[in-house]
């Protein structure tokens, strides 16, 4: 479901933004809808990032993290948007990625983050993340991501 929704958001940014904004207005701060409310902000941030409106995207992604600090993917997407907006402030991105890994230290999260660092050409961070993952016992599962180091 989430994957389909994400594909929809990426393919139909304007329609998705309108629908997501309506969802935000419909459930402003409702306690029972916290996870949903945070995901709506996250998806709206992704839609804006897809239009290269990174400053606007960061606002929504930051709010998603604030609403639900336990949302792993909100931290990951917020960190990536921060990097693309200000690559020189890498420590902000790393802090979000570290938070995501504390919440969900699973191999797919490690893979995603290592692949991100590879995609932006930051071999130093690739090396750091590979070494951290290996020290936690994920070495065998990250052979492809961490080869050639």
């Amino acid at each position: 479901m989430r994957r389909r929704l994400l594909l929809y958001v990426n393919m139909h940014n304007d329609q998705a933004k309108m629908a997501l904004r309506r969802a935000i207005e419909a459930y402003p701060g409702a306690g029972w809808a916290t996870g949903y409310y945070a995901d709506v902000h996250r998806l709206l941030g992704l839609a804006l990032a897809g239009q290269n409106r990174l400053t606007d995207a960061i606002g929504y992604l930051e709010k998603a993290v604030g609403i639900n600090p336990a949302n792993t993917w909100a931290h990951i997407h917020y960190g990536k948007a921060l990097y693309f907006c200000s690559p020189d402030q890498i420590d902000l991105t790393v802090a979000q990625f570290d938070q995501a890994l504390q919440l969900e230290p699973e191999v797919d999260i490690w893979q995603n983050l290592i692949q991100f660092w590879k995609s932006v050409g930051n071999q130093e961070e690739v090396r750091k993340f590979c070494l951290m993952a290996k020290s936690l016992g994920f070495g065998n599962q990250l052979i492809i991501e961490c080869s050639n180091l």
Side-chain angles (χ1 to χ4, degrees), residues 34-143:
T34 300
Y36 172 73
Y37 195 58
D39 269 343
V40 167
H41 279 82
R42 181 178 63 84
L43 292 171
L44 187 52
L46 288 175
L48 292 165
Q51 294 180 329
N52 206 28
R53 293 177 51 196
L54 291 173
T55 304
D56 295 332
I58 285 172
Y60 282 98
L61 293 166
E62 182 178 32
K63 185 143 185 168
V65 167
I67 293 168
N68 185 3
N71 186 322
T72 302
W73 287 100
H75 286 284
I76 292 170
H77 293 136
Y78 182 40
K80 289 178 180 182
L82 287 169
Y83 179 84
F84 287 123
C85 197
S86 299
D88 57 321
Q89 295 186 1
I90 200 166
D91 55 319
L92 299 175
T93 297
V94 170
Q96 291 303 313
F97 288 178
D98 286 346
Q99 185 62 40
L101 287 165
Q102 287 178 18
L103 292 168
E104 197 174 330
E106 302 296 328
V107 71
D108 61 319
I109 303 299
W110 284 102
Q111 287 170 328
N112 184 285
L113 300 179
I114 292 167
Q115 288 170 359
F116 169 77
W117 289 124
K118 280 185 170 187
S119 74
V120 297
N122 190 321
Q123 288 305 309
E124 181 181 341
E125 291 301 321
V126 170
R127 192 172 297 106
K128 284 181 191 176
F129 274 69
C130 283
L131 289 173
M132 284 190 293
K134 286 179 182 180
S135 74
L136 295 171
F138 290 108
N140 290 337
Q141 297 164 312
L142 298 169
I143 291 171

